[in-house]
Amino acid sequence: DQQVKQNSPSLSVQEGRISILNCDYTNSMFDYFLWYKKYPAEGPTFLISISSIKDKNEDGRFTVFLNKSAKHLSLHIVPSQPGDSAVYFCAASETGANSKLTFGKGITLSVRP
Amino acid sequence: DAGITQSPRHKVTETGTPVTLRCHQTENHRYMYWYRQDPGHGLRLIHYSYGVKDTDKGEVSDGYSVSRSKTEDFLLTLESATSSQTSVYFCAIMGGRGTEAFFGQGTRLTVV
């Protein structure tokens, strides 16, 4: 059973507009969430994270929102740039689970010039 | 960039042969992980290690074994490779809770 779900496989956005990538989780024990970005033929790279004690974390153009009651998080990219075109993975972990990261299937973001 | 190296980067092997992939880190991180990436499945955890000689299974561990005899090296072995193990394999390292994991560049394995 998939514990981290990224239900939309792809998203296409115009350059300069906002990209919103969504992620849902089912395990209520998850208390730390991360977003990774992946380009073809490269390893995933860390983008931004959020602890369950917060509902928002911002880093430059990237903001992650966490809604614990809905078991939902989202990544906002404003403004979107063509270089943001990549696969984005949502990941989650729980205290006491030896820091295992559980990943979603990923969302392919395309930013059109 | 985090000091994590995977070898080999590419490998083609025949069904039934043993294969070992190596992950080497220079960060002295406690946690090390092996993931595989497949279309439609994202990143799935194969095995992980939380210390020297301390390892545990992930969600797709069947057909794989691991060993960690020293902090810096984490080996993934396919005892008898099958075509279903054709995939891109990623190693990751993490220093501890509340920190991010750093990934290697990946190993593209093809089993023919």
Side-chain angles (χ1 to χ4, degrees), chain A residues 2 31-32 34 36 38 41-46 49 87 89 93-106, chain B residues 9 30-31 33 35 37 40-43 45 48 50 56-57 59 90 94 96-106:
Chain A
Q2 207 180 357
D31 56 4
Y32 188 60
L34 309 91
Y36 281 82
K38 186 184 180 306
E42 294 184 8
T45 55
F46 170 74
S49 63
V87 178
F89 290 101
S93 68
E94 62 177 286
T95 303
N98 280 322
S99 297
K100 288 188 300 180
L101 287 181
T102 301
F103 284 83
K105 294 184 178 181
Chain B
R9 293 293 313 279
R30 176 183 178 187
Y31 299 98
Y33 311 85
Y35 288 87
Q37 184 193 9
H41 291 280
L43 291 162
L45 182 64
Y48 63 101
Y50 45 94
D56 205 349
K57 296 179 180 180
E59 60 181 306
F90 289 101
M94 183 189 293
R97 278 286 302 157
T99 64
E100 66 267 29
F102 297 96
F103 282 80
Q105 293 285 75

Side-chain angles (χ1 to χ4, degrees), chain A residues 66-78:
Chain A
L66 175 62
N67 182 335
K68 291 188 292 294
S69 61
K71 294 191 179 68
H72 176 83
L73 61 154
S74 61
L75 174 68
H76 293 210
I77 306 174
V78 183

Side-chain angles (χ1 to χ4, degrees), chain B residues 4 8 19 24-25 39 43 45 47 68 71 73 82 86 95 106:
Chain B
I4 177 170
V19 177
H24 178 78
Q25 62 147 328
L43 291 162
L45 182 64
H47 281 279
R68 191 171 179 196
T71 300
D73 289 324
T82 67
T86 292

Side-chain angles (χ1 to χ4, degrees), chain B residues 1 15 24 28 37 39 52 54 63 87 93 99-100 107-108 112:
Chain B
D1 289 344
T15 299
H24 178 78
N28 201 34
Q37 184 193 9
V52 173
D54 290 323
S87 186
I93 61 175
T99 64
E100 66 267 29
T107 295
R108 181 172 292 277
V112 297

